[in-house]
Amino acid sequence: MNYASVIESPVGKITILADEEFVQVVTFAEKDITGLLKNELTVKVVNQLNDYFKGNLKNFDFPMKQKGTEFQQEVWQNLLNIPFGETTSYAKFSSHHPLAIRAIAAANGKNNIAIVVPCHRVIGSNGKLVGYAGGLWRKQWLLQHEREVAQKGQTELKF
């Protein structure tokens, strides 16, 4: 990765890493970006994330590619099909591979493009928030934000 940008957001600092063609990482984790400059692509992601947090953007449209197995790529692609402002359970999300629910959950946890590849929209079958690399408080914030923007159902998640 040759380029980086950082954004301050309502859920903390977010680092974007990219090469010339693709965004490869959008993360809450601290990353050493010493010597990396922004480029047109990382600036586009910053602008889209700012619009997302303002409630003006529901779908991201920049090129992205993260490293992973064919199975992980399939899981990440399926995450993109979960509509903005909605959630699904791990059981429902893995219904096409019911014996692979743990592998799907593990792939979900290895997603390196936070928010954009919406792994935060997958919750426990009992409706509880479970597992989020960015922390459950961020997952709750993101889900509540999306429900408010989409004007779908309750604006606060009840647990």
Side-chain angles (χ1 to χ4, degrees):
M1 287 166 272
N2 311 43
Y3 301 96
S5 288
V6 177
I7 176 179
E8 291 292 339
S9 79
V11 289
K13 187 184 293 188
I14 300 172
T15 302
I16 299 115
L17 301 173
D19 60 19
E20 295 284 345
E21 297 179 74
F22 299 102
V23 171
Q24 297 171 348
V25 175
V26 175
T27 184
F28 302 111
E30 290 290 322
K31 296 284 185 186
D32 180 11
I33 59 169
T34 306
L36 298 180
L37 301 174
K38 61 187 175 185
N39 71 354
E40 211 174 287
L41 186 52
T42 64
V43 170
K44 181 176 185 172
V45 177
V46 165
N47 291 336
Q48 287 192 13
L49 284 169
N50 279 326
D51 286 345
Y52 168 87
F53 286 116
K54 289 176 190 169
N56 298 328
L57 182 95
K58 296 178 184 177
N59 298 300
F60 298 90
D61 68 351
F62 54 83
M64 61 185 136
K65 181 188 285 185
Q66 54 182 318
K67 294 179 182 172
T69 66
E70 187 177 319
F71 179 79
Q72 289 169 329
Q73 298 291 339
E74 178 187 338
V75 170
W76 300 330
Q77 190 60 45
N78 288 337
L79 287 169
L80 294 170
N81 296 326
I82 304 171
F84 182 92
E86 295 182 21
T87 59
T88 190
S89 70
Y90 276 101
K92 186 174 179 184
F93 186 68
S94 63
S95 62
H96 62 290
H97 291 301
L99 299 177
I101 190 168
R102 287 194 172 140
I104 288 171
N108 197 15
K110 292 192 185 304
N111 172 29
N112 285 317
I113 303 182
I115 302 171
V116 179
V117 178
C119 57
H120 61 278
R121 296 182 190 153
V122 184
I123 61 174
S125 296
N126 59 1
K128 300 245 185 229
L129 296 187
V130 293
Y132 188 62
L136 291 181
W137 72 271
R138 282 190 178 103
K139 184 172 189 165
Q140 182 174 1
W141 192 97
L142 293 168
L143 292 175
Q144 183 173 333
H145 170 70
E146 290 183 4
R147 285 179 183 248
E148 289 172 1
V149 170
Q151 298 180 350
K152 290 189 176 188
Q154 60 198 35
T155 57
E156 286 217 5
L157 299 174
K158 307 294 183 197
F159 302 109

